[in-house]
Amino acid sequence: VFLCDTEHGLGQHYFPDDNLQQCLCAQIYGERNYKDLGYLQEVKHICTDDEKSERRKRAEAMKSHIVFGKATDKDRAKAQQLWEQNGKRASWGCAWFQKWFDRVKRAVDLGQKLKVVFFPGHVGCGKVPWRMLPKVNL
């Protein structure tokens, strides 16, 4: 499940109890710093104006700070401020997880055979018990 823009859920959070206090981020990611949770995006390669525009849109959707080049202390402070203002949750959100879970459940209900795909060199590296998910660095 890839949520590439706000229309599809980028930067959005899922609140299972409808109390708008605790989304799934804590269960999935645990406590992480502003950089790990995507609030500082450093783009170190050359981009076209269109690519910069698209990256800015995504950064805005994620409520994160984007820098084209090397980040300064001021950039890091801004990113940390955004992280704190957003409740120290993942900038990309956790709505993706519920969409993924619902799709997996539907596939199982339909009797589909599930297939797990790993990135090259990561076979067996990402399998952890649910309770450990917020504590490991995958």
Side-chain angles (χ1 to χ4, degrees), residues 116-129 132-133 136-138:
V116 177
V117 179
F118 292 92
F119 290 109
H122 288 85
V123 173
C125 297
K127 188 175 178 181
V128 296
M132 295 300 297
L133 196 55
V136 295
N137 191 14
L138 299 175

Side-chain angles (χ1 to χ4, degrees), residues 35 42-46 67-71:
K35 193 161 186 177
E42 289 182 274
V43 181
K44 297 181 180 178
H45 62 276
I46 297 172
V67 178
F68 295 96
K70 187 172 172 69

Side-chain angles (χ1 to χ4, degrees), residues 17 69 77 112:
D17 298 325
Q112 298 292 314

Side-chain angles (χ1 to χ4, degrees), residues 37-88:
L37 290 176
Y39 286 90
L40 179 60
Q41 297 182 38
E42 289 182 274
V43 181
K44 297 181 180 178
H45 62 276
I46 297 172
C47 295
T48 66
D49 288 343
D50 287 343
E51 290 170 329
K52 284 183 179 180
S53 177
E54 189 59 37
R55 286 178 177 267
R56 283 188 184 107
K57 284 182 196 174
R58 285 197 305 260
E60 184 179 340
M62 296 166 56
K63 299 178 182 83
S64 65
H65 184 63
I66 189 165
V67 178
F68 295 96
K70 187 172 172 69
T72 65
D73 288 342
K74 186 176 178 180
D75 292 317
R76 286 184 277 281
K78 176 66 175 171
Q80 185 167 355
Q81 178 186 26
L82 291 168
W83 169 68
E84 290 169 356
Q85 288 173 348
N86 201 31
K88 299 182 179 181

